[in-house]
Amino acid sequence: MTESEIPPRPRRMPLRTPRVAEALAAQLRLRILEGDLADGAELPTEPVLLQEYPVSRPSLREAFRILETEGLVVVRRGKRGGTVIKAPAPGSAAYHMGLLLHARATPMRDLAAARNLLEPLCAEHAAGRDDHEAVAVRLRQLNEEAAQVVEDGPAFTGASVRFHEGLVDAAGNETLRVVVGMLESVWSVQERGWARRASDEASYPPVDRRHAVLRAHGAIEKAIGAGDAALAGKLMRAHLEASQLYVASDDAPPVQVLDEYGNPRMDGRD
């Protein structure tokens, strides 16, 4: 074989080592997630961190930017600057979930169907807890708060949302609470927005329908208090199928977590 016939050597894949900023961000990220760096506390100043981690100042600041993009720190600039730790929270996770659903133009009926599948499981788990009677007491309190504002449509919707959020939080299983909690947060924003629009257009359901919601919540709470998981799940499914028809109507817009200006709506404002 002549030199001209020697096949070319295959191109080697480049050997990549993590950049210094990424490696530093990884260490700080782990400390935040494991609680070594507490939520709400300020990171040490740059000089202190530079002594602890032998990196350049630009690498340190790039590590901050990485963590800020991930939502794990908030960098305050100016005279009162500093870097505040922000541990992961359900709200931030729900926001990113909502962005994905928004980007995919997910129909409201699709979101409602997922809620119909998962929230009854939370009711069943709540009824199966050893302290199910205490769970029922808390849900009864939330339902009573909704009854106090039954004449005010948007306020009633907000109180009803808190009942559902309380039920999801009572599921007991941590993973189920987190997953369904994100879903519930996205749904709650859509429902609160619908309530304000319906109120402005004088199309909010009449008071007798609101009392039907209170009765449904009361029945669910009683089933949980009795420890009847099967009944709690059944009642929750029936309630969701009836109540979601308003928010997930045929003419409902797709899931939206940003307003027309591109600002987040995940805080419940429309």
Side-chain angles (χ1 to χ4, degrees), residues 3-40:
E3 184 176 347
S4 60
E5 294 175 327
I6 297 177
R9 176 179 297 177
R11 184 178 181 183
R12 292 184 178 181
M13 296 295 294
L15 297 176
R16 183 179 182 276
T17 56
R19 292 187 302 162
V20 172
E22 293 172 343
L24 176 56
Q27 292 190 39
L28 294 173
R29 182 187 301 115
L30 188 61
R31 292 180 64 185
I32 292 171
L33 295 178
E34 295 186 346
D36 181 38
L37 297 174
D39 182 35

PDB file of all heavy atoms in Angstrom, residues 3-40:
ATOM      1  N   GLU A   3       1.783   5.400   0.082  1.00  0.00           N
ATOM      2  CA  GLU A   3       1.405   6.453   1.028  1.00  0.00           C
ATOM      3  C   GLU A   3       0.085   7.083   0.664  1.00  0.00           C
ATOM      4  O   GLU A   3      -0.713   7.432   1.521  1.00  0.00           O
ATOM      5  CB  GLU A   3       2.524   7.502   1.076  1.00  0.00           C
ATOM      6  CG  GLU A   3       2.276   8.592   2.102  1.00  0.00           C
ATOM      7  CD  GLU A   3       3.420   9.555   2.193  1.00  0.00           C
ATOM      8  OE1 GLU A   3       4.501   9.254   1.654  1.00  0.00           O
ATOM      9  OE2 GLU A   3       3.227  10.611   2.799  1.00  0.00           O
ATOM     10  N   SER A   4      -0.144   7.218  -0.690  1.00  0.00           N
ATOM     11  CA  SER A   4      -1.385   7.849  -1.118  1.00  0.00           C
ATOM     12  C   SER A   4      -2.593   6.964  -0.856  1.00  0.00           C
ATOM     13  O   SER A   4      -3.730   7.424  -0.855  1.00  0.00           O
ATOM     14  CB  SER A   4      -1.313   8.182  -2.613  1.00  0.00           C
ATOM     15  OG  SER A   4      -1.126   6.992  -3.359  1.00  0.00           O
ATOM     16  N   GLU A   5      -2.340   5.626  -0.631  1.00  0.00           N
ATOM     17  CA  GLU A   5      -3.445   4.704  -0.404  1.00  0.00           C
ATOM     18  C   GLU A   5      -3.771   4.524   1.081  1.00  0.00           C
ATOM     19  O   GLU A   5      -4.716   3.841   1.424  1.00  0.00           O
ATOM     20  CB  GLU A   5      -3.093   3.339  -1.007  1.00  0.00           C
ATOM     21  CG  GLU A   5      -2.991   3.370  -2.529  1.00  0.00           C
ATOM     22  CD  GLU A   5      -2.511   2.036  -3.063  1.00  0.00           C
ATOM     23  OE1 GLU A   5      -1.699   1.376  -2.365  1.00  0.00           O
ATOM     24  OE2 GLU A   5      -2.945   1.646  -4.143  1.00  0.00           O
ATOM     25  N   ILE A   6      -2.952   5.130   1.937  1.00  0.00           N
ATOM     26  CA  ILE A   6      -3.202   4.998   3.376  1.00  0.00           C
ATOM     27  C   ILE A   6      -4.477   5.754   3.723  1.00  0.00           C
ATOM     28  O   ILE A   6      -4.616   6.944   3.406  1.00  0.00           O
ATOM     29  CB  ILE A   6      -2.014   5.562   4.181  1.00  0.00           C
ATOM     30  CG1 ILE A   6      -0.754   4.751   3.890  1.00  0.00           C
ATOM     31  CG2 ILE A   6      -2.335   5.557   5.671  1.00  0.00           C
ATOM     32  CD1 ILE A   6       0.476   5.290   4.576  1.00  0.00           C
ATOM     33  N   PRO A   7      -5.441   5.064   4.316  1.00  0.00           N
ATOM     34  CA  PRO A   7      -6.698   5.736   4.636  1.00  0.00           C
ATOM     35  C   PRO A   7      -6.469   6.821   5.677  1.00  0.00           C
ATOM     36  O   PRO A   7      -5.600   6.699   6.554  1.00  0.00           O
ATOM     37  CB  PRO A   7      -7.574   4.605   5.184  1.00  0.00           C
ATOM     38  CG  PRO A   7      -6.600   3.584   5.686  1.00  0.00           C
ATOM     39  CD  PRO A   7      -5.414   3.665   4.768  1.00  0.00           C
ATOM     40  N   PRO A   8      -7.235   7.883   5.583  1.00  0.00           N
ATOM     41  CA  PRO A   8      -7.055   8.970   6.558  1.00  0.00           C
ATOM     42  C   PRO A   8      -7.428   8.502   7.959  1.00  0.00           C
ATOM     43  O   PRO A   8      -8.305   7.661   8.137  1.00  0.00           O
ATOM     44  CB  PRO A   8      -8.017  10.051   6.051  1.00  0.00           C
ATOM     45  CG  PRO A   8      -9.050   9.306   5.268  1.00  0.00           C
ATOM     46  CD  PRO A   8      -8.311   8.164   4.630  1.00  0.00           C
ATOM     47  N   ARG A   9      -6.690   9.015   8.918  1.00  0.00           N
ATOM     48  CA  ARG A   9      -6.973   8.670  10.316  1.00  0.00           C
ATOM     49  C   ARG A   9      -8.307   9.302  10.705  1.00  0.00           C
ATOM     50  O   ARG A   9      -8.562  10.470  10.411  1.00  0.00           O
ATOM     51  CB  ARG A   9      -5.857   9.206  11.208  1.00  0.00           C
ATOM     52  CG  ARG A   9      -6.111   8.978  12.705  1.00  0.00           C
ATOM     53  CD  ARG A   9      -4.962   9.507  13.522  1.00  0.00           C
ATOM     54  NE  ARG A   9      -3.725   8.783  13.227  1.00  0.00           N
ATOM     55  CZ  ARG A   9      -2.541   9.076  13.773  1.00  0.00           C
ATOM     56  NH1 ARG A   9      -2.464  10.102  14.618  1.00  0.00           N
ATOM     57  NH2 ARG A   9      -1.477   8.385  13.475  1.00  0.00           N
ATOM     58  N   PRO A  10      -9.182   8.521  11.348  1.00  0.00           N
ATOM     59  CA  PRO A  10     -10.461   9.098  11.757  1.00  0.00           C
ATOM     60  C   PRO A  10     -10.246  10.244  12.730  1.00  0.00           C
ATOM     61  O   PRO A  10      -9.341  10.200  13.570  1.00  0.00           O
ATOM     62  CB  PRO A  10     -11.191   7.928  12.427  1.00  0.00           C
ATOM     63  CG  PRO A  10     -10.132   6.928  12.738  1.00  0.00           C
ATOM     64  CD  PRO A  10      -9.033   7.118  11.727  1.00  0.00           C
ATOM     65  N   ARG A  11     -11.085  11.245  12.576  1.00  0.00           N
ATOM     66  CA  ARG A  11     -10.955  12.442  13.420  1.00  0.00           C
ATOM     67  C   ARG A  11     -11.260  12.091  14.873  1.00  0.00           C
ATOM     68  O   ARG A  11     -12.279  11.463  15.171  1.00  0.00           O
ATOM     69  CB  ARG A  11     -11.928  13.516  12.932  1.00  0.00           C
ATOM     70  CG  ARG A  11     -11.810  14.827  13.687  1.00  0.00           C
ATOM     71  CD  ARG A  11     -12.765  15.845  13.110  1.00  0.00           C
ATOM     72  NE  ARG A  11     -12.656  17.105  13.807  1.00  0.00           N
ATOM     73  CZ  ARG A  11     -13.412  18.167  13.556  1.00  0.00           C
ATOM     74  NH1 ARG A  11     -14.304  18.096  12.582  1.00  0.00           N
ATOM     75  NH2 ARG A  11     -13.269  19.282  14.236  1.00  0.00           N
ATOM     76  N   ARG A  12     -10.366  12.481  15.735  1.00  0.00           N
ATOM     77  CA  ARG A  12     -10.572  12.176  17.142  1.00  0.00           C
ATOM     78  C   ARG A  12     -11.593  13.130  17.755  1.00  0.00           C
ATOM     79  O   ARG A  12     -11.637  14.304  17.427  1.00  0.00           O
ATOM     80  CB  ARG A  12      -9.255  12.294  17.915  1.00  0.00           C
ATOM     81  CG  ARG A  12      -8.244  11.223  17.554  1.00  0.00           C
ATOM     82  CD  ARG A  12      -7.014  11.359  18.421  1.00  0.00           C
ATOM     83  NE  ARG A  12      -6.041  10.321  18.147  1.00  0.00           N
ATOM     84  CZ  ARG A  12      -4.888  10.214  18.777  1.00  0.00           C
ATOM     85  NH1 ARG A  12      -4.551  11.097  19.713  1.00  0.00           N
ATOM     86  NH2 ARG A  12      -4.054   9.232  18.472  1.00  0.00           N
ATOM     87  N   MET A  13     -12.437  12.559  18.640  1.00  0.00           N
ATOM     88  CA  MET A  13     -13.364  13.403  19.384  1.00  0.00           C
ATOM     89  C   MET A  13     -12.553  14.225  20.380  1.00  0.00           C
ATOM     90  O   MET A  13     -11.648  13.700  21.041  1.00  0.00           O
ATOM     91  CB  MET A  13     -14.396  12.550  20.128  1.00  0.00           C
ATOM     92  CG  MET A  13     -15.299  11.755  19.194  1.00  0.00           C
ATOM     93  SD  MET A  13     -16.340  12.828  18.182  1.00  0.00           S
ATOM     94  CE  MET A  13     -17.374  13.540  19.459  1.00  0.00           C
ATOM     95  N   PRO A  14     -12.845  15.499  20.478  1.00  0.00           N
ATOM     96  CA  PRO A  14     -12.080  16.328  21.409  1.00  0.00           C
ATOM     97  C   PRO A  14     -12.320  15.891  22.849  1.00  0.00           C
ATOM     98  O   PRO A  14     -13.432  15.534  23.231  1.00  0.00           O
ATOM     99  CB  PRO A  14     -12.625  17.740  21.161  1.00  0.00           C
ATOM    100  CG  PRO A  14     -13.990  17.527  20.591  1.00  0.00           C
ATOM    101  CD  PRO A  14     -13.887  16.259  19.800  1.00  0.00           C
ATOM    102  N   LEU A  15     -11.241  15.873  23.620  1.00  0.00           N
ATOM    103  CA  LEU A  15     -11.355  15.573  25.040  1.00  0.00           C
ATOM    104  C   LEU A  15     -11.779  16.842  25.751  1.00  0.00           C
ATOM    105  O   LEU A  15     -11.105  17.880  25.653  1.00  0.00           O
ATOM    106  CB  LEU A  15     -10.007  15.074  25.593  1.00  0.00           C
ATOM    107  CG  LEU A  15      -9.509  13.758  24.983  1.00  0.00           C
ATOM    108  CD1 LEU A  15      -8.130  13.433  25.533  1.00  0.00           C
ATOM    109  CD2 LEU A  15     -10.478  12.626  25.278  1.00  0.00           C
ATOM    110  N   ARG A  16     -12.912  16.772  26.449  1.00  0.00           N
ATOM    111  CA  ARG A  16     -13.464  17.972  27.062  1.00  0.00           C
ATOM    112  C   ARG A  16     -13.462  17.842  28.581  1.00  0.00           C
ATOM    113  O   ARG A  16     -13.965  16.885  29.131  1.00  0.00           O
ATOM    114  CB  ARG A  16     -14.897  18.193  26.591  1.00  0.00           C
ATOM    115  CG  ARG A  16     -15.538  19.466  27.132  1.00  0.00           C
ATOM    116  CD  ARG A  16     -16.952  19.624  26.596  1.00  0.00           C
ATOM    117  NE  ARG A  16     -17.548  20.838  27.065  1.00  0.00           N
ATOM    118  CZ  ARG A  16     -18.163  20.980  28.250  1.00  0.00           C
ATOM    119  NH1 ARG A  16     -18.223  19.943  29.070  1.00  0.00           N
ATOM    120  NH2 ARG A  16     -18.696  22.134  28.611  1.00  0.00           N
ATOM    121  N   THR A  17     -12.862  18.799  29.224  1.00  0.00           N
ATOM    122  CA  THR A  17     -12.932  18.862  30.682  1.00  0.00           C
ATOM    123  C   THR A  17     -13.847  20.035  31.041  1.00  0.00           C
ATOM    124  O   THR A  17     -13.894  21.038  30.314  1.00  0.00           O
ATOM    125  CB  THR A  17     -11.537  19.102  31.277  1.00  0.00           C
ATOM    126  OG1 THR A  17     -10.979  20.285  30.711  1.00  0.00           O
ATOM    127  CG2 THR A  17     -10.629  17.926  30.984  1.00  0.00           C
ATOM    128  N   PRO A  18     -14.581  19.906  32.123  1.00  0.00           N
ATOM    129  CA  PRO A  18     -15.494  20.984  32.494  1.00  0.00           C
ATOM    130  C   PRO A  18     -14.744  22.285  32.674  1.00  0.00           C
ATOM    131  O   PRO A  18     -13.654  22.328  33.226  1.00  0.00           O
ATOM    132  CB  PRO A  18     -16.095  20.499  33.816  1.00  0.00           C
ATOM    133  CG  PRO A  18     -15.895  19.021  33.805  1.00  0.00           C
ATOM    134  CD  PRO A  18     -14.631  18.785  33.051  1.00  0.00           C
ATOM    135  N   ARG A  19     -15.330  23.333  32.211  1.00  0.00           N
ATOM    136  CA  ARG A  19     -14.715  24.628  32.427  1.00  0.00           C
ATOM    137  C   ARG A  19     -14.728  24.940  33.910  1.00  0.00           C
ATOM    138  O   ARG A  19     -15.543  24.431  34.671  1.00  0.00           O
ATOM    139  CB  ARG A  19     -15.466  25.704  31.646  1.00  0.00           C
ATOM    140  CG  ARG A  19     -15.309  25.559  30.140  1.00  0.00           C
ATOM    141  CD  ARG A  19     -15.914  26.741  29.422  1.00  0.00           C
ATOM    142  NE  ARG A  19     -17.336  26.884  29.757  1.00  0.00           N
ATOM    143  CZ  ARG A  19     -18.017  28.007  29.565  1.00  0.00           C
ATOM    144  NH1 ARG A  19     -17.417  29.073  29.079  1.00  0.00           N
ATOM    145  NH2 ARG A  19     -19.296  28.063  29.862  1.00  0.00           N
ATOM    146  N   VAL A  20     -13.847  25.811  34.309  1.00  0.00           N
ATOM    147  CA  VAL A  20     -13.700  26.142  35.732  1.00  0.00           C
ATOM    148  C   VAL A  20     -15.016  26.665  36.303  1.00  0.00           C
ATOM    149  O   VAL A  20     -15.445  26.253  37.390  1.00  0.00           O
ATOM    150  CB  VAL A  20     -12.572  27.177  35.921  1.00  0.00           C
ATOM    151  CG1 VAL A  20     -12.543  27.670  37.359  1.00  0.00           C
ATOM    152  CG2 VAL A  20     -11.232  26.578  35.523  1.00  0.00           C
ATOM    153  N   ALA A  21     -15.680  27.551  35.567  1.00  0.00           N
ATOM    154  CA  ALA A  21     -16.934  28.122  36.062  1.00  0.00           C
ATOM    155  C   ALA A  21     -17.997  27.051  36.238  1.00  0.00           C
ATOM    156  O   ALA A  21     -18.748  27.061  37.221  1.00  0.00           O
ATOM    157  CB  ALA A  21     -17.428  29.198  35.103  1.00  0.00           C
ATOM    158  N   GLU A  22     -18.065  26.107  35.305  1.00  0.00           N
ATOM    159  CA  GLU A  22     -19.054  25.035  35.408  1.00  0.00           C
ATOM    160  C   GLU A  22     -18.750  24.134  36.604  1.00  0.00           C
ATOM    161  O   GLU A  22     -19.665  23.682  37.303  1.00  0.00           O
ATOM    162  CB  GLU A  22     -19.077  24.215  34.120  1.00  0.00           C
ATOM    163  CG  GLU A  22     -19.608  25.000  32.924  1.00  0.00           C
ATOM    164  CD  GLU A  22     -19.449  24.230  31.621  1.00  0.00           C
ATOM    165  OE1 GLU A  22     -18.655  23.260  31.604  1.00  0.00           O
ATOM    166  OE2 GLU A  22     -20.086  24.601  30.641  1.00  0.00           O
ATOM    167  N   ALA A  23     -17.464  23.854  36.819  1.00  0.00           N
ATOM    168  CA  ALA A  23     -17.080  23.021  37.957  1.00  0.00           C
ATOM    169  C   ALA A  23     -17.409  23.712  39.277  1.00  0.00           C
ATOM    170  O   ALA A  23     -17.900  23.083  40.220  1.00  0.00           O
ATOM    171  CB  ALA A  23     -15.593  22.697  37.880  1.00  0.00           C
ATOM    172  N   LEU A  24     -17.150  25.017  39.337  1.00  0.00           N
ATOM    173  CA  LEU A  24     -17.463  25.764  40.553  1.00  0.00           C
ATOM    174  C   LEU A  24     -18.975  25.829  40.760  1.00  0.00           C
ATOM    175  O   LEU A  24     -19.468  25.642  41.887  1.00  0.00           O
ATOM    176  CB  LEU A  24     -16.870  27.177  40.467  1.00  0.00           C
ATOM    177  CG  LEU A  24     -17.195  28.114  41.630  1.00  0.00           C
ATOM    178  CD1 LEU A  24     -16.767  27.491  42.961  1.00  0.00           C
ATOM    179  CD2 LEU A  24     -16.524  29.464  41.430  1.00  0.00           C
ATOM    180  N   ALA A  25     -19.719  26.078  39.687  1.00  0.00           N
ATOM    181  CA  ALA A  25     -21.185  26.114  39.786  1.00  0.00           C
ATOM    182  C   ALA A  25     -21.723  24.781  40.286  1.00  0.00           C
ATOM    183  O   ALA A  25     -22.660  24.729  41.084  1.00  0.00           O
ATOM    184  CB  ALA A  25     -21.805  26.467  38.436  1.00  0.00           C
ATOM    185  N   ALA A  26     -21.108  23.686  39.831  1.00  0.00           N
ATOM    186  CA  ALA A  26     -21.552  22.359  40.267  1.00  0.00           C
ATOM    187  C   ALA A  26     -21.361  22.176  41.766  1.00  0.00           C
ATOM    188  O   ALA A  26     -22.222  21.609  42.453  1.00  0.00           O
ATOM    189  CB  ALA A  26     -20.790  21.281  39.498  1.00  0.00           C
ATOM    190  N   GLN A  27     -20.241  22.653  42.294  1.00  0.00           N
ATOM    191  CA  GLN A  27     -19.983  22.517  43.731  1.00  0.00           C
ATOM    192  C   GLN A  27     -20.962  23.369  44.540  1.00  0.00           C
ATOM    193  O   GLN A  27     -21.512  22.915  45.548  1.00  0.00           O
ATOM    194  CB  GLN A  27     -18.542  22.917  44.049  1.00  0.00           C
ATOM    195  CG  GLN A  27     -17.504  21.953  43.485  1.00  0.00           C
ATOM    196  CD  GLN A  27     -16.114  22.243  44.013  1.00  0.00           C
ATOM    197  OE1 GLN A  27     -15.938  22.575  45.181  1.00  0.00           O
ATOM    198  NE2 GLN A  27     -15.114  22.121  43.154  1.00  0.00           N
ATOM    199  N   LEU A  28     -21.172  24.605  44.101  1.00  0.00           N
ATOM    200  CA  LEU A  28     -22.097  25.481  44.812  1.00  0.00           C
ATOM    201  C   LEU A  28     -23.531  24.959  44.701  1.00  0.00           C
ATOM    202  O   LEU A  28     -24.303  25.023  45.667  1.00  0.00           O
ATOM    203  CB  LEU A  28     -22.003  26.905  44.264  1.00  0.00           C
ATOM    204  CG  LEU A  28     -20.673  27.620  44.502  1.00  0.00           C
ATOM    205  CD1 LEU A  28     -20.652  28.951  43.777  1.00  0.00           C
ATOM    206  CD2 LEU A  28     -20.435  27.826  45.996  1.00  0.00           C
ATOM    207  N   ARG A  29     -23.885  24.434  43.537  1.00  0.00           N
ATOM    208  CA  ARG A  29     -25.231  23.879  43.325  1.00  0.00           C
ATOM    209  C   ARG A  29     -25.506  22.746  44.306  1.00  0.00           C
ATOM    210  O   ARG A  29     -26.574  22.673  44.921  1.00  0.00           O
ATOM    211  CB  ARG A  29     -25.367  23.376  41.894  1.00  0.00           C
ATOM    212  CG  ARG A  29     -26.750  22.826  41.550  1.00  0.00           C
ATOM    213  CD  ARG A  29     -26.758  22.179  40.172  1.00  0.00           C
ATOM    214  NE  ARG A  29     -26.386  23.108  39.131  1.00  0.00           N
ATOM    215  CZ  ARG A  29     -25.273  22.989  38.392  1.00  0.00           C
ATOM    216  NH1 ARG A  29     -24.438  21.970  38.588  1.00  0.00           N
ATOM    217  NH2 ARG A  29     -25.009  23.869  37.453  1.00  0.00           N
ATOM    218  N   LEU A  30     -24.519  21.856  44.462  1.00  0.00           N
ATOM    219  CA  LEU A  30     -24.681  20.724  45.367  1.00  0.00           C
ATOM    220  C   LEU A  30     -24.842  21.199  46.806  1.00  0.00           C
ATOM    221  O   LEU A  30     -25.670  20.665  47.566  1.00  0.00           O
ATOM    222  CB  LEU A  30     -23.473  19.797  45.247  1.00  0.00           C
ATOM    223  CG  LEU A  30     -23.569  18.458  45.987  1.00  0.00           C
ATOM    224  CD1 LEU A  30     -24.740  17.643  45.454  1.00  0.00           C
ATOM    225  CD2 LEU A  30     -22.270  17.677  45.849  1.00  0.00           C
ATOM    226  N   ARG A  31     -24.099  22.216  47.177  1.00  0.00           N
ATOM    227  CA  ARG A  31     -24.203  22.738  48.544  1.00  0.00           C
ATOM    228  C   ARG A  31     -25.570  23.365  48.796  1.00  0.00           C
ATOM    229  O   ARG A  31     -26.124  23.263  49.900  1.00  0.00           O
ATOM    230  CB  ARG A  31     -23.083  23.754  48.797  1.00  0.00           C
ATOM    231  CG  ARG A  31     -21.685  23.142  48.835  1.00  0.00           C
ATOM    232  CD  ARG A  31     -20.624  24.200  49.087  1.00  0.00           C
ATOM    233  NE  ARG A  31     -20.780  24.810  50.404  1.00  0.00           N
ATOM    234  CZ  ARG A  31     -20.038  25.829  50.837  1.00  0.00           C
ATOM    235  NH1 ARG A  31     -19.094  26.345  50.053  1.00  0.00           N
ATOM    236  NH2 ARG A  31     -20.232  26.337  52.039  1.00  0.00           N
ATOM    237  N   ILE A  32     -26.142  23.999  47.767  1.00  0.00           N
ATOM    238  CA  ILE A  32     -27.478  24.586  47.904  1.00  0.00           C
ATOM    239  C   ILE A  32     -28.527  23.490  48.039  1.00  0.00           C
ATOM    240  O   ILE A  32     -29.391  23.518  48.918  1.00  0.00           O
ATOM    241  CB  ILE A  32     -27.800  25.487  46.690  1.00  0.00           C
ATOM    242  CG1 ILE A  32     -26.897  26.727  46.703  1.00  0.00           C
ATOM    243  CG2 ILE A  32     -29.272  25.909  46.705  1.00  0.00           C
ATOM    244  CD1 ILE A  32     -26.987  27.567  45.438  1.00  0.00           C
ATOM    245  N   LEU A  33     -28.450  22.474  47.171  1.00  0.00           N
ATOM    246  CA  LEU A  33     -29.440  21.404  47.168  1.00  0.00           C
ATOM    247  C   LEU A  33     -29.394  20.577  48.445  1.00  0.00           C
ATOM    248  O   LEU A  33     -30.421  20.062  48.900  1.00  0.00           O
ATOM    249  CB  LEU A  33     -29.241  20.498  45.950  1.00  0.00           C
ATOM    250  CG  LEU A  33     -29.471  21.146  44.586  1.00  0.00           C
ATOM    251  CD1 LEU A  33     -29.187  20.153  43.470  1.00  0.00           C
ATOM    252  CD2 LEU A  33     -30.899  21.673  44.476  1.00  0.00           C
ATOM    253  N   GLU A  34     -28.206  20.433  49.028  1.00  0.00           N
ATOM    254  CA  GLU A  34     -28.076  19.635  50.245  1.00  0.00           C
ATOM    255  C   GLU A  34     -28.247  20.452  51.516  1.00  0.00           C
ATOM    256  O   GLU A  34     -28.127  19.935  52.616  1.00  0.00           O
ATOM    257  CB  GLU A  34     -26.727  18.918  50.250  1.00  0.00           C
ATOM    258  CG  GLU A  34     -26.619  17.882  49.121  1.00  0.00           C
ATOM    259  CD  GLU A  34     -25.359  17.051  49.195  1.00  0.00           C
ATOM    260  OE1 GLU A  34     -24.441  17.440  49.956  1.00  0.00           O
ATOM    261  OE2 GLU A  34     -25.303  16.015  48.506  1.00  0.00           O
ATOM    262  N   GLY A  35     -28.554  21.753  51.360  1.00  0.00           N
ATOM    263  CA  GLY A  35     -28.857  22.589  52.509  1.00  0.00           C
ATOM    264  C   GLY A  35     -27.667  23.169  53.221  1.00  0.00           C
ATOM    265  O   GLY A  35     -27.822  23.839  54.249  1.00  0.00           O
ATOM    266  N   ASP A  36     -26.471  22.935  52.708  1.00  0.00           N
ATOM    267  CA  ASP A  36     -25.283  23.511  53.333  1.00  0.00           C
ATOM    268  C   ASP A  36     -25.305  25.031  53.196  1.00  0.00           C
ATOM    269  O   ASP A  36     -24.858  25.758  54.084  1.00  0.00           O
ATOM    270  CB  ASP A  36     -24.028  22.918  52.682  1.00  0.00           C
ATOM    271  CG  ASP A  36     -22.757  23.454  53.284  1.00  0.00           C
ATOM    272  OD1 ASP A  36     -22.734  23.644  54.518  1.00  0.00           O
ATOM    273  OD2 ASP A  36     -21.786  23.690  52.549  1.00  0.00           O
ATOM    274  N   LEU A  37     -25.825  25.508  52.071  1.00  0.00           N
ATOM    275  CA  LEU A  37     -26.042  26.940  51.859  1.00  0.00           C
ATOM    276  C   LEU A  37     -27.550  27.154  51.961  1.00  0.00           C
ATOM    277  O   LEU A  37     -28.311  26.700  51.117  1.00  0.00           O
ATOM    278  CB  LEU A  37     -25.510  27.367  50.490  1.00  0.00           C
ATOM    279  CG  LEU A  37     -24.001  27.206  50.292  1.00  0.00           C
ATOM    280  CD1 LEU A  37     -23.592  27.515  48.861  1.00  0.00           C
ATOM    281  CD2 LEU A  37     -23.234  28.117  51.257  1.00  0.00           C
ATOM    282  N   ALA A  38     -27.983  27.858  53.007  1.00  0.00           N
ATOM    283  CA  ALA A  38     -29.405  27.927  53.347  1.00  0.00           C
ATOM    284  C   ALA A  38     -30.171  28.879  52.436  1.00  0.00           C
ATOM    285  O   ALA A  38     -29.644  29.904  51.968  1.00  0.00           O
ATOM    286  CB  ALA A  38     -29.569  28.369  54.797  1.00  0.00           C
ATOM    287  N   ASP A  39     -31.418  28.524  52.200  1.00  0.00           N
ATOM    288  CA  ASP A  39     -32.316  29.357  51.403  1.00  0.00           C
ATOM    289  C   ASP A  39     -32.475  30.722  52.058  1.00  0.00           C
ATOM    290  O   ASP A  39     -32.719  30.840  53.248  1.00  0.00           O
ATOM    291  CB  ASP A  39     -33.680  28.661  51.298  1.00  0.00           C
ATOM    292  CG  ASP A  39     -34.660  29.431  50.434  1.00  0.00           C
ATOM    293  OD1 ASP A  39     -34.226  30.040  49.444  1.00  0.00           O
ATOM    294  OD2 ASP A  39     -35.868  29.418  50.753  1.00  0.00           O
ATOM    295  N   GLY A  40     -32.324  31.774  51.245  1.00  0.00           N
ATOM    296  CA  GLY A  40     -32.482  33.133  51.739  1.00  0.00           C
ATOM    297  C   GLY A  40     -31.221  33.764  52.285  1.00  0.00           C
ATOM    298  O   GLY A  40     -31.170  34.986  52.489  1.00  0.00           O
TER     299      GLY A  40
END
